[in-house]
Amino acid sequence: MNSSSHYFSHGTIALFCGKGMDFRPKVGTLQASFNGKSEFLNLHVYPALTSIDSFRFQEHGCNVLKFSLKSRTSQSQALVVRSDHPQNSDFPKYYSKKEKKPFPVPIVDLRRAARERLKSRKGKPKTPVPPPKNGLLVKALIPVAYDVFNERITLINNLKKLLKVVPVQACRFCNEIHVGPVGHPFKSCKGANANIRKGVHEWITNATVDDVFLPVEAFHLYDRLGRRIPHEERFSIPRIPAIVELCIQAGVDVPEYPTKRRRKPIIRISKSEFVDADESELPDPDTEGPKRPVLTEIPDSEIVAPSDEEETTLLAEETLRAWDQMRRGAKRLMKMYLVRVCGYCPEVHVGPSGHKAQNCGAFKHQQRNGQHGWQAAVLNDLIPPRYVWHVPDVNGPPMERELRNYYGQAPAVVEMCIQAGAAVPEEYRPTMRLDVGIPSTIKEAEMVV
């Protein structure tokens, strides 16, 4: 123990330990270690300490150990110990197909915020509607949209090259994949005849980029403020990747997918009706400044694998950087340009309100006549990170089924880059459980338990 840490002990408490009906009291002394310079620890020692009321664990970016001390002569005081470096964290929660996705912001908070806005606007003149709600583009986000578009193309091209040097296994019967030379032994297959195979996967090496970087498609809107897409027009409107549609609405010009660009704010007639302003006196838009170049995908026949280990490492670092920049930029765009997701299925719509196509086939869709339950989307709905098991040592022994609780997980893109030689990002270390020692044998794991 270093010099900046201390122990305190005070009072005698009765501890009840054991299982079942074993309630024999044991008399002991309460001790706790703390940092002398910590701003989170405030000690109030009482001479008549009798019990510990509560003991709970919380996590808000750090580990919190909290329990309260009671005294016969004064009120209870809380003792909090924080750790800003958690050893590991839980995997993303898996929602059942019968369970609706939670709202990013609870309905109660949304209603409270709406009431506060109405109260603050009462008696004040109306302010002009800011972009993009008035039909114009947010000029500060146009470079961000081009960066996200190009980073997506860079990510896809680099993943095609990494797939030639990093083996990715795919199950023959289900959609699960595994990054590594040998598939994992865990019994988690839910495909055809899974009960006969007892959940064991049958691995084959034919994974593609779409298995690693999941494609999420959405309808392309010519006018993002226009009328909602009816059910009868669902086949006549093209569907493109949702991240591409977000970039197009944010300012990226793609000749294959034209979109309406307004240069004057719309004139709002009512809440659901508006007219476009007259733009006849404005100059020709083609005479404006030059457009930023956009990248294109490399055909599969022209993909060349990296020649040596150094080139593979540089390619992995560039891929990881493109993945991070694409997600960061998309998160900035989603704060201004609305993205909707169905609360029952993975359908995504980029626009202020969802479409009316009745193609939801999720749980109890008959009661909704196939209509989607639209709600605000989060980043993982637009760019879902497909989590796979992290292999601690690619060249070491294969993963063991009995040590499943000791292995971590990471997005498939991140796991591929790490196995190709890139450094582990700090934000993924808790879920990968790199700081947890994996027992070398099953007997050693049983001894730990």
Side-chain angles (χ1 to χ4, degrees), residues 132-432:
K133 295 181 180 180
N134 60 359
L136 303 180
L137 296 176
V138 183
K139 294 184 179 181
L141 293 181
I142 294 179
V144 178
Y146 273 94
D147 292 339
V148 173
F149 188 89
N150 290 332
E151 294 294 349
R152 174 185 172 272
I153 299 298
T154 302
L155 177 65
I156 294 176
N157 293 337
N158 291 355
L159 286 177
K160 291 181 180 180
K161 299 177 183 178
L162 287 177
L163 282 173
K164 294 184 175 297
V165 293
V166 178
V168 179
Q169 313 290 331
C171 181
R172 186 188 296 272
F173 300 99
C174 68
N175 59 354
E176 190 166 345
I177 63 173
H178 179 76
V179 181
V182 181
H184 67 73
F186 308 132
K187 298 181 179 181
S188 57
C189 183
K190 298 181 181 179
N193 301 324
N195 55 347
I196 299 177
R197 293 177 285 106
K198 296 182 179 180
V200 178
H201 295 278
E202 184 175 339
W203 300 107
I204 53 178
T205 311
N206 64 344
T208 61
V209 176
D210 290 341
D211 296 324
V212 179
F213 181 39
L214 295 178
V216 178
E217 293 186 345
F219 285 109
H220 170 60
L221 304 180
Y222 173 74
D223 184 5
R224 58 184 175 86
L225 297 182
R227 65 185 183 93
R228 299 173 65 182
I229 300 175
H231 178 71
E232 294 75 15
E233 299 179 5
R234 64 189 185 279
F235 296 121
S236 60
I237 298 178
R239 290 179 64 87
I240 61 176
I243 185 67
V244 175
E245 175 64 17
L246 179 62
C247 295
I248 291 176
Q249 293 189 16
V252 176
D253 292 329
V254 180
E256 294 83 3
Y257 304 105
T259 185
K260 187 174 184 178
R261 303 293 188 198
R262 295 180 175 86
R263 293 182 291 169
K264 279 189 175 183
I266 60 174
I267 302 174
R268 183 71 65 176
I269 300 176
S270 63
K271 186 176 181 181
S272 58
E273 296 182 1
F274 67 91
V275 294
D276 293 332
D278 185 16
E279 301 179 358
S280 59
E281 71 278 3
L282 298 179
D284 190 1
D286 296 336
T287 60
E288 295 180 357
K291 303 296 183 180
R292 289 188 55 180
V294 294
L295 303 179
T296 56
E297 295 186 19
I298 303 177
D300 296 342
S301 58
E302 301 179 5
I303 295 297
V304 179
S307 57
D308 53 3
E309 184 177 354
E310 182 180 358
E311 185 178 353
T312 303
T313 303
L314 294 177
L315 182 64
E317 293 177 353
E318 182 184 3
T319 305
L320 199 58
R321 184 165 53 253
W323 166 262
D324 182 65
Q325 294 296 331
M326 181 188 66
R327 288 179 60 87
R328 291 179 184 271
K331 190 174 182 178
R332 289 186 58 187
L333 296 178
M334 292 177 65
K335 292 181 179 180
M336 298 299 297
Y337 296 90
L338 299 179
V339 180
R340 303 296 182 183
V341 66
C342 179
Y344 305 94
C345 72
E347 179 73 10
V348 171
H349 180 80
V350 182
S353 58
H355 59 76
K356 294 183 179 180
Q358 302 173 1
N359 54 2
C360 182
F363 183 65
K364 292 186 178 181
H365 63 90
Q366 300 89 347
Q367 300 180 1
R368 293 175 279 109
N369 197 21
Q371 296 181 355
H372 296 281
W374 297 112
Q375 63 186 47
V378 296
L379 181 61
N380 287 346
D381 297 324
L382 184 68
I383 309 175
R386 185 166 193 175
Y387 278 82
V388 297
W389 291 100
H390 170 61
V391 181
D393 187 4
V394 180
N395 300 323
M399 304 174 71
E400 297 187 22
R401 185 179 305 160
E402 292 77 6
L403 304 179
R404 177 173 179 169
N405 294 335
Y406 293 90
Y407 297 117
Q409 291 186 357
V413 176
V414 178
E415 180 66 17
M416 285 186 62
C417 297
I418 292 174
Q419 293 190 16
V424 180
E426 290 296 330
E427 58 181 315
Y428 297 107
R429 292 185 67 91
T431 57
M432 296 173 66

